[in-house]
Structures are given as C-alpha cells and as structure tokens.
Amino acid sequence: MRAVIVAIGVAFLVSLLATPLAIKVFARLKAGQPIRSNLGLASNEGKKGTPTMGGVVFILATVIAYVAGHLALTTLPDAQIAQVEPTITALVLLGLMVFSGAVGFIDDFLKVRKRHSGGLNKRGKLFGQILVGAVFGVVALYFPSSMTDASGATTNTETVGSTTLSFIRDIPALEIGKVASVIVIIMVVMAATNGVNLTDGLDGLATGASVMVLAAYALIAFWQYRHWCADPTYTANPDNYCYAVRDPLEIALIAGAAAGACVGFLWWNTSPARIFMGDTGALGLGGLIAGMAMSTRTVLLLPILGGLFVIITMSVVIQIISFRTTGKRVFRMSPLQHHFELAGWSEVNIVVRFWIIAGIGVAIALGLFYSDFLASMG
C-alpha cells in the first residue's frame, strides 16, 4: 500500500505543478485547440486558442510516479512477493498508455499545424490503434512470469493477458486461444480509446470520469494483490479464494498513479479549462484503461465500469445509423453531451451530471466484483 500511495502522491504533484508550465510552453508554440465556431455550442465560446496536448503532462507524470513507487517498493518487507524489478505488466500498461497517446499526439500536432479541427485521418488513427493493440497484445500473451519464491520454486507463471474471456475473473468455458485473444485486446483498445476520446469535449468531463475508472481499477488490483494466488502466505490456507493474475501490485500502482496524475491535471482542466488533454490524453487514457481491463481479467466488466464512455459512444453510433437509414437525427447533436448543450443545459451541469452517471457505473462494477468474492468465499 505504501508504494501505491507514494505513486499517487508523486503523480498528483508532478501533474499539478507541471501543467502550468505546459500551458505556457504550448501557448508560446501556439499549440491551441482549433475550435469550430459554426456548431452553435455555448461551450465553444472563448475557448479558441486554449492550449491542447495536455495529456503529455499526465502521461509523463504517471511514468515518473511509477518509478517513484518502485523506489518505495524496495523498502517493503514482502519485496519478493511484490516483485521490485520492473515487469512485463508495467511494460504493457505503460506502453499502451504512451503509444496510444503518441497516436493522439500525431493527431493533435496535425490539427495545430493545419489550424483545422481535422487532424490524422480516420484510416491513420485506426491503423495506429490496431498496431498498438496488436503489439502489446502479443507481449501480454506470449511472455509468462517466471516469479520464484525464496526456495527457488516458481510461484507464478501467469501472462499479463489471458486466452480466456473474463468478466470478474476468467471464465473457463470461454477459452478462445492466443490469436483470438490478441484480436479481442485490439478491439478493447479501440473501444476504450475511442470511448474516452468521444467523451472528451467539455471541460473536465473525460478527465473526471477517467479518474473514477482508474481509481476503481487501483482498488480492484490491490484487492487481487491481497488475495493473490502467487502469495504463499495467503494460499497456505486452502479455503482462501485467490486471483490468478500477474503482478497485481504493479497494476494497482500504475492505476493509482494515473488517477493521481489526472486529478492534478483536472485542477487546470476543469471549467473554465486553461488546457485541454487533446487526443494525446484521451487516447492515452483509453489505452491504459483497456490494459487495466485485460490485466485484471475484467474485460467484460469494463462496459459497466466505464458505463459513461459506453453511453456516449452508443449515442454516436445511434446517430449515424439513424441518419444513414432514415435521414433523421435522434439527438440534436452527438456525442450525447452536445445534445444537452443544445437543449440549454450549462456546461458545468452536464459535466457534473455525467460524472454522477460515471460514478454509478463504477459503483455497480465494484459491487459486482466484491459480491463475486463473497460468493467464492462462501
């Protein structure tokens, strides 16, 4: 727990203190978010020229905090169980965040350079998401742990990802093999990155929702660490239910660090925002959230945990299908938050109410996770 707290604190402080510097740097570079003024959205007023690409700050803060958390791990009495050395799990999770964010950075850079809201084309962005998901999906499935205990015996041979579909844990009847699992990972990465990206659009909306989801994953992963199959002090009692995952403390540390970094960024990103996360941040967060679902073996729980992202994504899908098939729009505008803007809701009201929806999804998901544990113990 000490290492996780250290990571959260460092990430928060780095993000909180570095964001004003990023605002000045991006402002001098004239890296302002292009704003379309013909949409009739009240939230767009006064935002022209606001620096974008702020996701760079909390991505770097998360990486720095991970290193700080590992320094704290070296003082833990159960260091051999915690795995002090950097792991493949960290490589996959931070890799998904950094390289998904890199795809978004290219998109943001092109928008700023062209002074136009159209950046990387759809095919380019899609290719980037598929490539990132495929590379780290392969790493997650083909590199098992070789963790050993004090006697030299192997205690954990798990991979970061699983060849079995999972809800709150792996579902044995849904074994799909490595190739299909890589495809599933790619789909989850695409869904999560696009979900967060579509949610971004109002000051603080995507940032606040991501904080809730990442905090939930930190709790889930730490709970798995306290009931871990690789921990001989826990599994010494055969009646104890344990989680067959890889490096859960690493997952909790990274999730906590990312949540802390987002809170620090939210200080400057909340209404009226002085900086936007841009596609850099949205795709980076989406990639990390996808990695969290994969590594904690809760892939099918993600649509509940990230319920707000699903609702907003579905509003876009419904709008497109309706317009192409009937020529009519279901919503005044999609994504959904803009529908309520045009209905007269203030930006702050929309953000707070959508945060409540995000919190409800997180609460339901955590309730399901814990109730499954109680059922397994009973």
Side-chain angles (χ1 to χ4, degrees), residues 4 7 51 63 134 245 270 281 377:
V4 177
V63 175
V245 296
T270 193
M377 294 294 287

Side-chain angles (χ1 to χ4, degrees), residues 35 157 173 187 197 236 314:
I35 301 293
T157 59
M187 293 173 64
N197 198 22
M314 289 307 300

